[in-house]
Amino acid sequence: MEKKTLVIGVIGADVHAVGNQILYHAFTDAGFNVINLGVMVSQEEFISAAIETNADAILVSSLYGQGELDCRGMREKCDEAGLDNILLYVGGNIVIGKQPFEEVEQRFKAMGFDRSFPPGTPPEVDIECLKEDLHIQ
Amino acid sequence: MNPVLLIDFGSTYTKVTAVDTDEAKLLGTASSYTTVQTDINNGLNSAIAKLEMMTGHIEYRERYAASSAAGGLRMLASGLVPELTAEAAKCASLGAGAKVLKTYAFELNEDDANEIRKIDPDIFLLVGGTDGGNSKCILHNAKVLAEIGGDFPIVIAGNRNAVRECERILAGREVHICENVMPKFGVLNIAPAQQVIREVFLKKIVRAKGLTEASELISGIMMPTPSAVMAAMKLLAEGTEKQSGIGELIAVDVGGATTDIYSVSDGMPDDPRTMMKGLPEPYIKRTVEGDIGMRYSIRGIVDSAGIKTIAELAGLTVERTEELIERFAEHTDLLPDSDETKALDEALACMAVRIAVTRHAGRIEETYNMCGTAYVQTGKNLMNIDRIVITGGSLIHTEHTEHIASFALYDEKDPTSLKPKKASVLVDRKYIIAAMGLLSEHYPEAAFTIMKEELVNNVIAK
Ligand code: B12
């Protein structure tokens, strides 16, 4: 079966690099074609990379607490760029402090993110979700 | 003695340079006015006649030529995302010595199609998508090109999963397929496309531009003039088997219509912790500013630098500056003949150099976080380059070349622009650089020695 392409990176001015590296290796080992944009990635960079590589999903990391601000408007920009219905995930420590995750999830859903992941989610969970959403047996 | 003749067919002048490769000596240079209308051989013959008045008759063993005649190698390119494959396509074409009239991004529309038909380029470079990535765009654009008709050759250097389909769509057209300019995301691979562009130039363009007759006299290597300049700059920077080069450098060529900047450098950050963003940069990079030039593009200089700045620099009033600029724009063949026009020309040149080098150079941005400062670099770091080569008709005859060149340097008012901190200037007074690039293909030692000898070296300070 053809490999699915994922674009990953850490959004905004965020420099937390460790989780991103772990995700890169975990997804690659799981058989994905991973385009890793590293840290400090703008919405535009995610989108441009997804266009050129014909990506199946964009996975945004945010650790430093400004995730909500950084992610705002991303779905609209994807639509604008012709990335129709591309799968959008977000994870890390996407909001400041400890907030009930259901609420956080709802807010990101409203922003057009298909799934949000709470702090400390192990990569196995992410991979299961990807397989389900991208219909990989 | 092994006399070799180097010819540069330009759009207005044919220049000839005679060298003796055994002694690594320049024998003489001459140039003659040519027009598009006149046979290219007339220009060549009269340039040679002028040259022989100085050198006496010479039986040349070899003759090599470069050409930017008839508008140079006129190219169009199309890619997908503007900062990614479209930029890579532009970069590849410029690096192959082409004059890139336009670069299209995303899917071509009807207006683009009409424009392409009208421009009727010498070569079209069709790219888009990483290997295995987007193929929709390049396939669409191939269809548009097929519908346009015409017989310009098309070089396809996009997503490898789509190129054969593009070829089928373009059945009946001259198509050349080569490796993707961006095989993987963020990887620049422009050498294969450049090689193909060069071959097509040799086979087709040279013939089409009426250079065939001349080329019978010529032993070989016809290349676009900018490619010859690039070859010369690479040689000067790197040296030869026997001689060491002068190190990383930039070259500045301010013309009447465009300003070309070349850099030979890896452009990496000083601090290895600095993060790199954007497309990787080619080691030999050429940029062409189509809106910056001393006559045809004089308005672009004014738009970018501001009339006040130019007037101040020239020591003229704004009104007078406006007047003179109006006149230069209208009469593109005017040469500076008074103190006023000389001062204005110099001010314009200073600004052209600053604008074009600033656009060529990379930038560094500071971002703060709790653990200190982080730096992000886009483009090339030219801060440590300490040689600036000045060439091109507009600059080599000016009196204050060093002063003009100093506008290529780092500017405290624009601290994020990564321009050279300090540098010495090498002025191509005899206009031999393109010729030495040609010569370097077979006689690198002689070409290097002659350049070192002939480029006048002066230190500039700001
Ligand atoms: C190391 C670290 C740093 C280092 C980073 C070094 C580096 N270059 O990587 C430094 C010192 C630079 C740093 C700076 C800051 N940090 Co810090 N940092 C940490 C720390 C201790 C560990 C992060 C880490 O590497 N974790 C290990 C990796 C493997 O886990 P991970 O990043 O969470 O990623 C995993 C999962 O979250 C998930 N995942 C991540 N992204 C995504 C995306 C998707 C789509 C999916 C499905 C899954 C997923 O998968 C990953 C792999 O398993 C955390 C606290 C903590 N224990 O988490 C704070 C922490 C992230 N930092 C924090 C803060 C506030 C900062 C600073 C703003 C200020 C400060 N207090 O120092 C600056 C911000 C700098 C900047 N501009 O980014 C806060 C964030 C608070 C918030 N979000 O509300 C934390 C949580 C500490 C805290 N409890 O206050 N930090």
Side-chain angles (χ1 to χ4, degrees):
Chain A
M1 191 183 132
E2 209 183 296
K3 277 189 179 186
K4 296 285 182 186
T5 299
L6 313 176
V7 172
I8 70 168
V10 186
I11 198 165
D14 198 333
V15 299
H16 292 90
V18 184
N20 168 261
Q21 276 303 319
I22 291 180
L23 290 179
Y24 172 71
H25 290 294
F27 294 152
T28 305
D29 291 346
F32 291 96
N33 174 30
V34 189
I35 313 296
N36 187 7
L37 305 180
V39 298
M40 296 180 76
V41 181
S42 68
Q43 289 189 3
E44 290 74 15
E45 286 173 287
F46 277 110
I47 291 168
S48 295
I51 295 174
E52 289 282 6
T53 59
N54 202 25
D56 301 286
I58 299 177
L59 281 73
V60 177
S61 290
S62 178
L63 284 305
Y64 69 164
Q66 288 193 44
E68 211 167 335
L69 235 106
D70 289 339
C71 289
R72 212 168 274 165
M74 179 130 179
R75 171 60 77 187
E76 289 76 5
K77 275 192 202 145
C78 286
D79 290 344
E80 194 72 47
L83 294 172
D84 302 330
N85 304 320
I86 189 168
L87 198 60
L88 270 187
Y89 284 5
V90 60
N93 293 288
I94 56 182
V95 290
I96 299 176
K98 289 199 175 23
Q99 306 181 23
F101 197 72
E102 295 72 47
E103 288 175 22
V104 175
E105 204 174 3
Q106 276 312 311
R107 294 212 298 276
F108 276 85
K109 191 134 225 147
M111 284 161 62
F113 282 81
D114 298 287
R115 289 184 195 259
S116 316
F117 297 82
T121 310
E124 295 74 40
V125 177
D126 319 338
I127 292 167
E128 273 319 303
C129 293
L130 281 169
K131 285 187 168 164
E132 191 186 321
D133 293 345
L134 297 174
H135 314 291
I136 304 171
Q137 274 78 45
Chain B
M1 181 151 149
N2 183 47
V4 174
L5 184 70
L6 294 322
I7 308 157
D8 180 7
F9 295 109
S11 44
T12 42
Y13 284 94
T14 299
K15 296 176 217 94
V16 288
T17 305
V19 299
D20 171 12
T21 57
D22 283 349
E23 296 290 324
K25 274 259 164 323
L26 185 68
L27 301 174
T29 65
S31 68
S32 159
Y33 191 73
T34 30
T35 63
V36 193
Q37 287 80 23
T38 55
D39 185 348
I40 198 132
N41 282 297
N42 295 348
L44 177 58
N45 291 335
S46 74
I48 292 175
K50 269 194 193 169
L51 181 66
E52 293 199 336
M53 288 204 289
M54 290 183 287
T55 58
H57 180 71
I58 298 174
E59 281 299 326
Y60 294 103
R61 298 254 174 84
E62 292 153 71
R63 298 155 176 252
Y64 301 111
S67 168
S68 56
L73 170 57
R74 298 164 61 254
M75 281 188 66
L76 290 174
S78 76
L80 178 51
V81 175
E83 311 74 57
L84 298 174
T85 50
E87 181 64 25
K90 183 178 175 187
C91 199
S93 310
L94 286 173
K99 177 169 181 181
V100 184
L101 299 164
K102 192 157 179 180
T103 311
Y104 300 93
F106 303 114
E107 294 186 354
L108 296 167
N109 67 17
E110 251 180 271
D111 297 331
D112 299 334
N114 287 331
E115 190 176 55
I116 294 166
R117 188 180 293 120
K118 211 153 127 211
I119 291 175
D120 187 26
D122 295 328
I123 299 177
F124 194 103
L125 176 60
L126 175 66
V127 317
T130 54
D131 285 347
N134 184 295
S135 53
K136 197 167 154 251
C137 178
I138 195 171
L139 291 173
H140 170 91
N141 290 348
K143 282 187 197 116
V144 173
L145 290 178
E147 280 160 22
I148 287 173
D151 60 358
F152 51 84
I154 298 165
V155 176
I156 307 177
N159 182 356
R160 68 187 291 271
N161 301 58
V163 292
R164 290 296 164 195
E165 183 62 29
C166 289
E167 188 182 31
R168 278 190 286 276
I169 293 168
L170 288 160
R173 290 294 295 271
E174 180 183 339
V175 159
H176 302 264
I177 290 181
C178 60
E179 281 173 38
N180 197 344
V181 289
M182 191 184 282
K184 279 190 194 167
F185 180 82
V187 175
L188 195 64
N189 175 45
I190 55 178
Q194 288 177 334
Q195 185 57 36
V196 174
I197 293 169
R198 219 161 283 149
E199 284 161 17
V200 177
F201 173 80
L202 270 179
K203 269 205 296 250
K204 296 259 316 185
I205 319 301
V206 169
R207 199 177 333 140
K209 301 224 158 176
L211 300 175
T212 0
E213 235 184 281
S215 70
E216 271 162 24
L217 300 169
I218 291 162
S219 341
I221 36 169
M222 278 289 242
M223 54 168 106
T225 307
S227 294
V229 174
M230 286 172 92
M233 291 303 96
K234 180 169 185 281
L235 179 74
L236 189 61
E238 292 180 346
T240 63
E241 241 166 62
K242 295 191 189 118
Q243 309 179 68
S244 43
I246 69 167
E248 298 193 336
L249 55 83
I250 60 176
V252 176
D253 178 352
V254 180
T258 65
T259 295
D260 292 25
I261 308 294
Y262 304 80
S263 60
V264 185
S265 81
D266 68 9
M268 295 309 280
D270 295 340
D271 183 342
R273 285 168 305 179
T274 301
M275 235 178 35
M276 296 291 291
K277 284 277 171 189
L279 266 195
E281 295 285 332
Y283 167 66
I284 306 179
K285 180 172 181 164
R286 169 175 177 242
T287 50
V288 178
E289 304 309 329
D291 62 331
I292 302 296
M294 299 289 287
R295 291 296 179 271
Y296 299 95
S297 311
I298 197 169
R299 284 275 158 220
I301 303 183
V302 179
D303 289 346
S304 188
I307 189 82
K308 265 198 185 147
T309 313
I310 296 170
E312 227 164 81
L313 209 56
L316 301 170
T317 64
V318 170
E319 294 71 31
R320 185 68 185 137
T321 309
E322 282 280 17
E323 248 173 69
L324 291 173
I325 283 175
E326 192 67 36
R327 201 191 309 157
F328 277 154
E330 236 169 81
H331 307 281
T332 50
D333 53 350
L334 270 189
L335 293 173
D337 52 1
S338 62
D339 286 350
E340 258 188 337
T341 47
K342 270 188 195 155
L344 178 60
D345 242 13
E346 199 175 303
L348 287 166
C350 291
M351 286 300 109
V353 170
R354 174 183 286 168
I355 297 161
V357 175
T358 303
R359 290 185 192 165
H360 185 98
R363 288 205 175 263
I364 193 154
E365 277 172 291
E366 253 181 22
T367 55
Y368 297 96
N369 55 44
M370 296 310 234
C371 51
T373 321
Y375 293 96
V376 181
Q377 179 185 321
T378 44
K380 274 180 140 176
N381 174 18
L382 308 176
M383 292 264 251
N384 304 316
I385 286 184
D386 58 3
R387 293 283 196 292
I388 301 173
V389 178
I390 297 289
T391 181
S394 305
L395 293 186
I396 57 176
H397 300 305
T398 54
E399 280 163 31
H400 307 111
T401 320
E402 284 73 28
H403 173 67
I404 296 170
S406 74
F407 282 78
L409 297 180
Y410 179 82
D411 180 2
E412 273 151 25
K413 292 202 195 93
D414 186 11
T416 63
S417 178
L418 298 167
K419 285 176 287 189
K421 283 238 187 66
K422 64 171 199 285
S424 50
V425 180
L426 302 162
V427 186
D428 182 20
R429 289 264 182 243
K430 293 184 187 158
Y431 216 156
I432 57 160
I433 283 181
M436 292 309 111
L438 278 170
L439 188 65
S440 73
E441 299 267 312
H442 293 290
Y443 299 98
E445 299 292 344
F448 183 81
T449 308
I450 294 172
M451 274 197 282
K452 271 198 92 167
E453 185 76 14
E454 295 292 334
L455 299 181
V456 183
N457 192 346
N458 281 312
V459 181
I460 50 169
K462 222 185 172 185

